[in-house]
Amino acid sequence: MQGGRVAITARALEAVARAVAAGHLGVAASDVGVTLRDRDGRLAVRVDAPLGVTTGGPGILTRVGEARTTIARDVTRLTGSQIGSVDIRITAAHITKGPRVS
């Protein structure tokens, strides 16, 4: 194998972060806005997106807290970039009814 390096463009990083965030927030990637900034050698990720909410499911604060952790983990795993922070701004709620419990 020959030596070299792999560079991931900012646009590619944004696309990965957008797709990962969409999956964890339960919405379409086209509804998600992502901004990346370098903060002392680590990426600061800002996500602006609606949140998919299922009635009877976990609360909004629980969902967003879990999403912050899993977005950071998955973006790091997929890109190799170290994530310093993930800030999420919920812009709307897409509510669906969960299964009825009798």
Side-chain angles (χ1 to χ4, degrees):
M1 179 192 265
Q2 294 182 352
R5 68 179 217 157
V6 175
I8 301 174
T9 66
R11 191 169 170 177
L13 283 171
E14 286 175 1
V16 169
R18 182 177 298 106
V20 168
H24 289 299
L25 296 173
V27 297
S30 60
D31 291 337
V32 177
V34 170
T35 305
L36 303 175
R37 298 226 187 312
D38 183 326
R39 193 172 288 163
D40 298 324
R42 294 178 173 250
L43 281 180
V45 180
R46 178 179 166 155
V47 177
D48 293 287
L51 176 66
V53 178
T54 303
T55 58
I60 291 172
L61 293 178
T62 299
R63 289 277 317 283
V64 172
E66 290 171 352
R68 288 180 65 220
T69 301
T70 54
I71 289 167
R73 179 196 68 209
D74 290 351
V75 170
T76 295
R77 182 177 54 83
L78 292 168
T79 68
S81 299
Q82 293 299 310
I83 306 301
S85 65
V86 176
D87 296 320
I88 300 175
R89 183 174 154 246
I90 300 302
T91 58
H94 294 178
I95 301 170
T96 58
K97 292 186 179 183
R100 288 190 149 219
V101 178
S102 332

